[in-house]
Amino acid sequence: MYKYVFRRVYQLIIVFFLFLVSSYVLFDAIPGNAFQNLLLNPDLPPEAYEQVIKLYGLDKPLSERVILYIGNFFQGDFGYSYKHFPRTPIELIAERLPRTLMLFAMVNIIAFYTGFLIGKILAWRRGSKSETWITVTSVFSYTIFYPWWALMMLWFFGYKLNWLPIGKFLYPEKWYDAPYDSDVIFVSMIKFTLVVSVVQILVYIYTRNIESLSLRRNVRFISLSILAILSILYWNSGDLAIQKPYAMDIAYHMILPIFTVTVVAFAGTALLTRTTMMEVMKDDFILTARAKGLSQKRIRDRHAARNALLPVVTSFIFTIVTIIDGSVLTETIFSWPGMGQLILDAVLEEDIPVAMASFSFIGVFALIAHFIADISYAYLDPRIRIQSQG
Amino acid sequence: MNILEVKDLDMSYRTIDGEVEAVKKVSFTVKEGESFGIVGESGCGKTSVAMSLLQLQADNGKITNGEIIFNGKNIVGLNEAELREVRWSGISIVFQGAMNSWNPVVKIGEQIREAMREHYPDKTKDENTKKIIELFDIVGLESSIIDRFPHELSGGMKQRAVIALALSCDPKLIIADEPTTALDVVIQDQILKEIRKVQDVLGLSLIYISHDIAVIAEMTDNMAVMYAGSIVEMGKTSKVFSDPKHAYTRMLLESTPSIVGPKKKLRSLDGEPPSLINTDPYCLFSYRCPNPDDNCQNRKIEMKLTKIDTDHYVDKCCVNCG
């Protein structure tokens, strides 16, 4: 297993290196550069423009620049943003990332769970009327033209009903004399969500070995209740009591984007789960499980859904990268100033250091996600575990 | 004492082309501690009978008539919860093709324990594990297999483990549905011996389903021959073998080579099994009967088992012809 992990890490480093080089070359291939609009200013002599180009090292040939950039990159120097000069790309990312992370981590987790849940119920109720209707609805929401859908949602919930805010991630007037920066709030929200999810997973893992089913259910219920009470206490203590109203404001702004993206994103998972699970349900071990006298729910969850999980997790891993880059479309439509907008602006303005830093950040994340996927396959399917040892 | 009594069981599958009557008016009884064999060609309804006993038939299958009296109680028409109690702790099944009877992602021990947990909710994990080790001992498996995944076992080991699984909830009746189909001959023999041993040691009743008439001869006390969804001959195994009355039984016997006695040419049966969609109540074997008499050819006699001797029943149509 260690050998396997080592080999994978080694491959990932090479892939990442190639990714960096090709990204840089591609950015360079875009015609023009970030400072060309200086030439349009009649008050500036052309020498000034050349001076600036020289200052940023853009006069050097491409090969030299690539080597320089990658050398600096691995020393942790990402340069300065061309457009927000004194700020570094890392500062910009540090500001934008928590916003995107919070929103899209939520979206992905909710979409995955609802998708998987609905998919397995659909497969289990094959042939019923509700199955037909939900499947048709899922196909509809899977194929819907996303920008139109997002605008419709904004119009309906934000304008017509006026229940939810139209865009932005906070009400500026509320934050006028806020003691905290919005990023601080985002970070504590992320920390909280992370801790809660980890505790939930731990509760699930540790109660798995309780033999009696009713006891297991009760233990899980009680521990989740304790967790809920603890989190209420947590948000009412010390610093966080002051942060709470602001966190609530952000959460309120998150409802509409989460709902809109989830409606589109869950359908893919649901349909995939439905198909794979229907395949699994034909297998003989499902018949064995029924003959053993197990309950329908247990056969569905433990035997059918568990075996259908692998392809679903694979597709989930591929979409997980959107946690970082955000959907550029979503962020634009909902005016959510996160990573997606940062990348879009950086590319349009040819702010190469920022674009490169964001892209390499996404690259690292994607590679790590795939690495985790490989390892989780081994956990999900013991047959892969054996092969990977050899 | 009869552990199982099946009376006039009808079962059909709904398909696009019409009702497929897979099991027609099947009646038989299994006594306590006895083994009962069902033999017949593919598609004759053997497995459908087995599945009806636990009501595990596919969604489009339905028991339309008849009673299944298990341990003095009719189990046809019970609701899901009542059926779940009968399943495994009353009647358990050793399925055909043990390769696929195991969930590939759950350890063997856990899959057995899961059934025990359902039927004996008060037992602790250690008690269950102890019992599994005892069962593994009976079927000749090492106790370490509890922590193995199905793909780490050979076919024979899997089938042994399936037998242990079938025994885990102390059933009164075990249905062995072609348990040796996917195994090589040597392993087949071992598994058959294992099943016999288990039956003797635990005093279980057994229904053995196979297309291999030789195995039936070896394994069972009483047997039934099925053809096109009906039982055409039934009786003591020794009697059916020594004096087969139905033409189909005779053909089955003649199609199997014997290692004792004079050399004989093996016979094969012409024609194909009939379609079971919307059949009439007359003898379905008459199309393939080697020497039909007038009644048989004109298909006038309804199918019905008739007693011709103590413990020997044969289909009415074939009493005279064949």
Side-chain angles (χ1 to χ4, degrees):
Chain A
M1 192 70 191
Y2 289 113
K3 210 173 149 191
Y4 170 72
V5 171
F6 178 75
R7 203 169 63 214
R8 291 289 301 152
V9 171
Y10 170 72
Q11 283 169 357
L12 290 182
I13 290 170
I14 292 178
V15 170
F16 182 65
F17 180 77
L18 291 175
F19 169 80
L20 271 186
V21 174
S22 49
S23 305
Y24 195 93
V25 172
L26 279 173
F27 275 123
D28 192 77
I30 305 175
N33 62 48
F35 305 103
Q36 236 162 9
N37 54 356
L38 295 182
L39 288 174
L40 299 176
N41 191 339
D43 296 339
L44 279 176
E47 292 80 36
Y49 168 74
E50 259 146 49
Q51 193 105 43
V52 171
I53 292 288
K54 208 165 184 174
L55 184 69
Y56 283 99
L58 288 172
D59 57 335
K60 295 197 176 88
L62 176 63
S63 54
E64 208 174 308
R65 273 184 289 140
V66 172
I67 292 164
L68 208 62
Y69 182 83
I70 288 174
N72 288 341
F73 185 92
F74 284 107
Q75 286 166 31
D77 177 9
F78 302 95
Y80 293 95
S81 163
Y82 294 164
K83 288 287 156 180
H84 316 261
F85 169 70
R87 307 186 73 184
T88 62
I90 294 300
E91 278 170 30
L92 287 169
I93 291 173
E95 181 192 85
R96 299 296 188 95
L97 188 63
R99 304 172 186 169
T100 302
L101 210 58
M102 189 67 209
L103 180 63
F104 284 91
M106 280 297 212
V107 165
N108 270 286
I109 291 168
I110 292 174
F112 179 75
Y113 270 106
T114 45
F116 190 62
L117 200 75
I118 289 175
K120 83 184 180 192
I121 291 170
L122 284 181
W124 202 248
R125 293 202 181 155
R126 170 114 211 253
S128 69
K129 225 173 212 153
S130 59
E131 191 250 354
T132 317
W133 281 109
I134 297 174
T135 308
V136 169
T137 317
S138 303
V139 172
F140 178 74
S141 73
Y142 183 58
T143 50
I144 202 165
F145 181 57
Y146 177 71
W148 175 83
W149 165 251
L151 288 173
M152 281 298 121
M153 296 301 282
L154 269 181
W155 169 77
F156 188 70
F157 287 106
Y159 174 72
K160 203 79 186 163
L161 295 176
N162 204 10
W163 286 354
L164 296 164
I166 302 178
K168 298 276 186 294
F169 63 102
L170 41 75
Y171 284 124
E173 57 269 32
K174 236 185 189 174
W175 290 69
Y176 190 66
D177 50 2
Y180 291 101
D181 213 13
S182 69
D183 298 334
V184 180
I185 312 278
F186 266 115
V187 169
S188 32
M189 285 169 85
I190 290 170
K191 260 194 240 158
F192 173 73
T193 321
L194 198 70
V195 170
V196 168
S197 345
V198 169
V199 171
Q200 263 191 33
I201 292 169
L202 287 181
V203 165
Y204 178 78
I205 290 174
Y206 277 104
T207 51
R208 237 173 23 157
N209 285 328
I210 297 176
E211 200 70 353
S212 153
L213 291 174
S214 54
L215 181 66
R216 186 189 303 177
R217 201 166 37 230
N218 290 342
V219 168
R220 278 184 189 169
F221 181 73
I222 290 168
S223 25
L224 291 185
S225 317
I226 293 173
L227 187 64
I229 293 167
L230 281 181
S231 22
I232 292 170
L233 289 178
Y234 175 75
W235 277 105
N236 283 314
S237 65
D239 248 12
L240 287 155
I242 310 165
Q243 290 189 9
K244 196 171 78 171
Y246 300 104
M248 295 289 269
D249 186 38
I250 291 173
Y252 180 56
H253 281 78
M254 274 166 59
I255 298 173
L256 192 58
I258 286 182
F259 178 71
T260 309
V261 186
T262 303
V263 166
V264 176
F266 96 94
T269 313
L271 294 171
L272 182 67
T273 310
R274 174 177 170 273
T275 323
T276 31
M277 192 153 136
M278 268 168 11
E279 209 50 51
V280 173
M281 277 162 60
K282 286 183 205 152
D283 283 339
D284 287 345
F285 62 82
I286 299 295
L287 188 65
T288 312
R290 281 177 69 204
K292 283 198 286 200
L294 304 183
S295 65
Q296 293 285 324
K297 188 171 167 291
R298 193 157 169 81
I299 300 170
R300 185 189 72 194
D301 294 349
R302 185 64 189 275
H303 293 281
R306 177 67 176 71
N307 276 281
L309 202 56
L310 198 62
V312 181
V313 167
T314 313
S315 85
F316 176 65
I317 301 282
F318 285 128
T319 57
I320 212 168
V321 180
T322 59
I323 292 181
I324 299 294
D325 63 8
S327 166
V328 174
L329 270 176
T330 311
E331 291 198 352
T332 311
I333 292 171
F334 289 97
S335 321
W336 191 274
M339 287 291 286
Q341 289 209 3
L342 182 70
I343 291 169
L344 186 66
D345 293 343
V347 172
L348 289 178
E349 295 165 350
E350 292 190 53
D351 191 348
I352 294 179
V354 174
M356 276 303 291
S358 326
F359 269 90
S360 49
F361 197 77
I362 294 166
V364 169
F365 188 77
L367 291 175
I368 290 175
H370 282 81
F371 181 64
I372 292 172
D374 278 347
I375 302 216
S376 70
Y377 289 166
Y379 173 73
L380 290 173
D381 193 337
R383 286 166 292 186
I384 295 174
R385 217 173 297 171
I386 296 299
Q387 281 162 18
S388 59
Q389 275 170 357
Chain B
M1 226 308 256
N2 290 337
I3 188 89
L4 180 77
E5 220 171 307
V6 178
K7 287 183 189 161
D8 286 337
L9 184 71
D10 283 343
M11 202 265 265
S12 57
Y13 295 104
R14 208 175 47 249
T15 65
I16 301 168
D17 299 327
E19 295 273 309
V20 177
E21 296 163 18
V23 178
K24 286 184 295 184
K25 296 237 173 305
V26 164
S27 307
F28 61 91
T29 55
V30 180
K31 295 191 190 68
E32 216 162 313
E34 172 197 62
S35 55
F36 184 84
I38 300 177
V39 71
E41 64 199 345
S42 298
C44 73
K46 306 182 298 272
T47 301
S48 291
V49 169
M51 290 301 149
S52 311
L53 294 182
L54 280 179
Q55 286 160 62
L56 287 173
Q57 65 275 28
D59 290 338
N60 60 345
K62 202 174 165 233
I63 295 177
T64 47
N65 188 29
E67 290 181 351
I68 297 167
I69 296 166
F70 174 72
N71 226 358
K73 195 174 152 204
N74 186 7
I75 57 170
V76 175
L78 291 187
N79 64 30
E80 181 71 22
E82 290 166 324
L83 275 174
R84 274 171 51 199
E85 273 173 37
V86 177
R87 287 174 186 163
W88 228 249
S89 63
I91 307 175
S92 67
I93 302 192
V94 177
F95 285 103
Q96 54 184 336
M99 311 298 137
N100 309 322
S101 306
W102 294 103
N103 183 340
V105 301
V106 182
K107 286 177 182 165
I108 298 276
E110 172 56 25
Q111 292 191 50
I112 301 178
R113 225 179 281 131
E114 186 183 44
M116 297 165 100
R117 203 154 47 210
E118 197 69 41
H119 295 286
Y120 304 111
D122 302 329
K123 289 252 172 84
T124 63
K125 192 174 174 179
D126 289 340
E127 283 171 334
N128 286 344
T129 308
K130 215 178 125 207
K131 188 167 178 196
I132 296 172
I133 293 173
E134 279 171 27
L135 290 171
F136 276 4
D137 201 37
I138 294 177
V139 298
L141 285 176
E142 283 171 37
S143 57
S144 64
I145 289 186
I146 286 185
D147 288 323
R148 296 278 190 83
F149 284 101
H151 67 273
E152 298 175 280
L153 271 56
S154 70
M157 282 155 97
K158 269 187 220 171
Q159 191 59 283
R160 283 164 198 266
V162 166
I163 296 171
L165 172 66
L167 295 172
S168 62
C169 297
D170 310 310
K172 299 197 172 53
L173 173 69
I174 293 190
I175 301 168
D177 184 4
E178 306 206 23
T180 57
T181 308
L183 304 172
D184 67 68
V185 190
V186 179
I187 306 288
Q188 258 187 34
D189 192 50
Q190 288 174 3
I191 296 290
L192 290 180
K193 281 195 182 120
E194 225 61 81
I195 293 177
R196 272 233 101 116
K197 191 174 99 193
V198 163
Q199 204 204 345
D200 288 344
V201 171
L202 304 176
L204 298 168
S205 314
L206 175 74
I207 295 181
Y208 196 96
I209 295 173
S210 179
H211 56 258
D212 188 345
I213 200 158
V215 173
I216 295 284
E218 196 183 321
M219 294 291 293
T220 62
D221 307 321
N222 289 305
M223 66 179 284
V225 180
M226 279 191 81
Y227 179 77
S230 314
I231 292 181
V232 292
E233 185 162 2
M234 185 165 74
K236 265 211 157 5
T237 308
S238 52
K239 259 185 200 165
V240 174
F241 271 84
S242 58
D243 187 16
K245 288 293 184 207
H246 198 278
Y248 181 65
T249 316
R250 272 206 295 278
M251 303 292 298
L252 269 185
L253 285 172
E254 281 168 16
S255 66
T256 320
S258 167
I259 47 170
V260 289
K263 262 192 200 168
K264 272 190 290 189
K265 207 165 173 9
L266 290 182
R267 281 178 71 181
S268 62
L269 187 53
D270 291 333
E272 278 172 19
S275 155
L276 294 176
I277 296 175
N278 303 325
T279 52
D280 52 30
Y282 303 107
C283 181
L284 283 168
F285 189 63
S286 23
Y287 308 106
R288 297 168 84 185
C289 198
N291 338 297
D293 63 4
D294 284 348
N295 278 331
C296 191
Q297 223 156 16
N298 301 330
R299 306 191 69 237
K300 287 219 175 103
I301 300 180
E302 284 193 23
M303 277 185 119
K304 192 173 190 318
L305 279 183
T306 333
K307 191 170 183 173
I308 53 161
D309 197 354
T310 41
D311 293 337
H312 198 171
Y313 301 81
V314 74
D315 188 47
K316 223 187 199 167
C317 178
C318 244
V319 173
N320 304 314
C321 71

